[in-house]
Amino acid sequence: MAATQETTTLPGQGAQAFFASMFASRTDAELESIASTKRFFERYIGDVRFREALQAGESPQALCDARGLAVDAERLKPIWQNDLWQTIKDEGRQEEWSEAFLWARWVGQLLEHRDMLKEHAGHTDEGRFSAWRRRQMNRTDSELGPRNRSITHPIVAYELTKGCTVGCWFCGIAAEEYQGAFPYTPDNAALWQGVLEVMHARFGEASQTGFCYWATDPMDSPDYDRFITDHWNIVGWLPQTTTAAPLKDEALTRRVMALFDQALCVINRFSVISLRQLDTIHAAFTPRELLAVELVMQNKGALTHKAVAGRVRSRREQLQELGREASDGSQLDTGTIACVSGFLINMVERKVQLVSPCAASGRWPLGYRIYDQGRFETPEDFADQIERMIDAHMPEGLQGEAVIRIRDDLQIGNVEDGALHLGNDFVKHTVSGFPFIERLVNLIGKDGATVRHVMERMSGEGEDVFAISAMIQELYDSGLVDWELARPRAA
Ligand code: SF4
């Protein structure tokens, strides 16, 4: 009998290997074709005049030639003509339209890789954190609707500056003005490496989903490549880079891109905030150099949606008060650009916050909840803060003085056939299997009640305490309720 050897692929290795295979499994000619199609597509998404001229029937080749796009424009028609794409897909005309099929498969694999990264962030032995993150994902699934699909819920983001020099009018997290960077001095490097070691020791592979920006731009940190190299060495993953200033220090950007060519683990992103910037980026980098860099078209006239959060939200409110048009014509989305369910760490301020995405609101205008925050001076302090936040915010179940309430965005509906309906604009939740559900939810309502009060009241009405407890756990795990500890009464 032949011996078999089982090999285990860790999810992170799987995501990395998958990404690397997207390049290794294609010929040079195929990669060139995808890169050229990508450049065409960026122009299509970002340049309204180009797009409208194509749609109006002007010669695709003349339009592409005028913009320096080295493509056979006729062969890319399925990229922007949905009917044609559907027809050739249905008829399987892959050989005839090879460029379009190469592009579609590439995009499909990028989405597959994104979903792998979401899984990757769930791989930690820190059970209470893992369950907490799942509850945040369940909550955002119903609170943000389809927007949540693209959120991978990485577990940590590190800011290496305070504020941002770019100052985008649409900044969904309303970044402060730039106030300084965290330079890579020996002391700072030791603190940085210590923080990474704490994250890796505590959360294992999930810590690989970290990245080094938030309300900051990586290119504002002159030592950015040294920080991410430490991340790679200590955590085992080169973190994703997103920048709106890729040409601020082109040499730094190229050093970062060279690191990614070695690591091949995740796509980078350049945010493009004007058409002129798109021209400059296209002039500075070849299509092939940008193959692993997504250009996120944020300029006026682009097809990209903007989240109603941060500056977009406040600007809308101000303009609406003046009775004026509250948009640059961009499509607007449910409000958040936040993605982390975990820790947001600013190295300049030595501050750590526990955060998770949400729809921007009066209470959370930046599109993320801040559950807690604390300061640290050393890696040991940092570890203590993490421990404290897990203890305070991630109980396995709710008991005693925990006040639970139905989430603000959910409407409490009627009971039909023993099932209670809770819903918002995106989803309708059906809660069934507990005959007392309507009474329990009415008791909790939007104002909330302590678990102790709910248990006493309902068991007093003859309900089984284990069943009540199971119901509360289900509401908690599914993210349908919010909770906090009851404040002690004043003496
Ligand atoms: S969107 Fe990014 S680059 Fe623009 S201001 Fe905000 S943090 Fe800075």
Side-chain angles (χ1 to χ4, degrees):
M1 192 169 115
T4 56
Q5 188 182 350
E6 288 193 358
T7 54
T8 307
T9 306
L10 294 172
Q13 291 173 336
Q16 193 278 326
F18 180 85
F19 192 74
S21 77
M22 287 174 61
F23 295 81
S25 64
R26 291 175 164 93
T27 64
D28 254 9
E30 287 171 335
L31 292 173
E32 286 292 345
S33 164
I34 294 165
S36 301
T37 306
K38 173 176 175 288
R39 181 152 295 200
F40 169 89
F41 195 61
E42 288 157 359
R43 179 62 63 179
Y44 182 81
I45 296 291
D47 186 339
V48 63
R49 291 173 70 182
F50 177 71
R51 195 167 60 239
E52 287 178 355
L54 275 177
Q55 286 163 346
E58 286 188 36
S59 156
Q61 198 58 56
L63 288 166
C64 288
D65 291 346
R67 285 162 178 84
L69 297 170
V71 292
D72 181 342
E74 284 297 323
R75 298 189 59 75
L76 295 185
K77 276 187 171 173
I79 304 290
W80 54 280
Q81 291 185 350
N82 284 342
D83 291 353
L84 179 57
W85 169 242
Q86 201 53 51
T87 304
I88 65 168
K89 200 160 69 115
D90 292 347
E91 294 173 1
R93 290 154 62 184
Q94 303 212 13
E95 281 181 23
E96 191 185 339
W97 294 98
S98 56
E99 291 90 342
F101 279 92
L102 275 173
W103 173 245
R105 180 158 160 66
W106 178 262
V107 172
Q109 288 188 323
L110 287 175
L111 294 175
E112 220 178 307
H113 185 249
R114 180 196 69 191
D115 291 343
M116 292 173 94
L117 294 177
K118 192 182 275 199
E119 289 282 311
H120 189 176
H123 283 84
T124 170
D125 293 335
E126 178 50 78
R128 285 183 297 166
F129 177 82
S130 203
W132 175 85
R133 177 175 172 272
R134 267 198 308 279
R135 285 192 290 275
Q136 304 309 313
M137 289 166 71
N138 289 340
R139 172 182 57 75
T140 49
D141 241 348
S142 79
E143 190 179 338
L144 298 170
R147 170 77 187 89
N148 193 48
R149 268 212 76 194
S150 61
I151 299 179
T152 58
H153 296 267
I155 75 158
V156 59
Y158 308 94
E159 294 180 310
L160 300 170
T161 60
K162 181 162 164 53
C164 174
T165 61
V166 184
C168 308
W169 72 263
F170 52 82
C171 184
I173 37 186
E176 292 178 279
E177 272 185 32
Y178 179 77
Q179 291 155 64
F182 182 67
Y184 196 87
T185 61
D187 284 352
N188 283 351
L191 179 61
W192 168 242
Q193 290 159 8
V195 165
L196 293 176
E197 279 159 9
V198 169
M199 286 303 294
H200 192 233
R202 179 108 205 193
F203 299 101
E205 203 185 345
S207 65
Q208 295 178 336
T209 57
F211 57 96
C212 301
Y213 56 88
W214 185 260
T216 57
D217 192 283
M219 296 303 133
D220 283 340
S221 169
D223 302 315
Y224 178 73
D225 53 330
R226 301 175 79 184
F227 287 108
I228 63 172
T229 301
D230 281 350
H231 190 287
W232 191 9
N233 289 335
I234 293 170
V235 175
W237 190 277
L238 192 67
Q240 182 180 60
T241 294
T242 298
T243 175
L247 295 174
K248 176 178 176 167
D249 178 349
E250 192 178 328
L252 173 58
T253 300
R254 288 192 177 276
R255 289 202 299 281
V256 170
M257 290 167 77
L259 286 170
F260 275 87
D261 286 345
Q262 290 173 53
L264 275 187
C265 53
V266 69
I267 199 143
N268 286 329
R269 291 185 299 205
F270 293 170
S271 290
V272 180
I273 53 186
S274 70
L275 210 46
R276 177 179 295 215
Q277 193 192 15
L278 177 67
D279 293 339
T280 322
I281 291 171
H282 278 178
F285 299 97
T286 65
R288 186 65 181 274
E289 283 175 325
L290 292 186
L291 181 54
V293 180
E294 178 187 1
L295 297 195
V296 184
M297 308 304 305
Q298 301 279 16
N299 60 295
K300 190 171 181 181
L303 289 176
T304 317
H305 291 206
K306 287 193 174 66
V308 185
R311 285 199 194 118
V312 173
R313 184 171 182 275
S314 52
R315 182 178 145 121
R316 256 167 80 84
E317 285 177 355
Q318 284 163 6
L319 291 174
Q320 276 167 353
E321 274 171 27
L322 297 170
R324 289 171 44 199
E325 181 57 49
S327 157
D328 69 337
S330 308
Q331 306 226 43
L332 298 174
D333 252 348
T334 312
T336 191
I337 61 163
C339 58
V340 168
S341 282
F343 304 99
L344 171 57
I345 297 159
N346 185 288
M347 295 302 297
V348 178
E349 298 179 285
R350 292 160 168 66
K351 183 166 94 176
V352 50
Q353 296 177 306
L354 179 66
V355 300
S356 183
C358 66
S361 62
R363 183 167 184 209
W364 304 116
L366 304 183
Y368 60 96
R369 294 177 172 202
I370 303 172
Y371 289 108
D372 204 339
Q373 62 179 25
R375 303 268 174 177
F376 61 90
E377 289 298 328
T378 65
E380 293 73 27
D381 291 348
F382 174 72
D384 290 347
Q385 289 289 359
I386 298 291
E387 182 77 33
R388 183 183 65 73
M389 289 181 191
I390 289 176
D391 284 347
H393 297 279
M394 304 178 191
E396 285 163 356
L398 296 176
Q399 293 172 347
E401 297 312 307
V403 178
I404 50 175
R405 62 172 64 84
I406 300 298
R407 263 185 16 229
D408 277 347
D409 62 299
L410 293 174
Q411 309 278 337
I412 302 174
N414 296 327
V415 171
E416 289 162 20
D417 300 327
L420 177 78
H421 299 292
L422 299 170
N424 59 19
D425 289 347
F426 302 114
V427 288
K428 189 168 167 186
H429 296 280
T430 303
V431 191
S432 58
F434 297 90
F436 51 80
I437 181 63
E438 186 177 18
R439 271 182 295 140
L440 187 143
V441 166
N442 286 338
L443 188 54
I444 299 168
K446 296 288 178 97
D447 293 333
T450 64
V451 172
R452 183 185 309 285
H453 176 70
V454 172
M455 297 297 287
E456 286 174 359
R457 174 86 176 264
M458 299 214 56
S459 60
E461 291 171 4
E463 300 300 345
D464 176 58
V465 288
F466 294 107
I468 305 165
S469 190
M471 183 71 258
I472 291 173
Q473 187 72 36
E474 192 167 320
L475 291 171
Y476 177 52
D477 288 339
S478 55
L480 296 176
V481 292
D482 281 326
W483 75 279
E484 62 191 349
L485 278 182
R487 291 201 185 91
R489 289 201 187 99

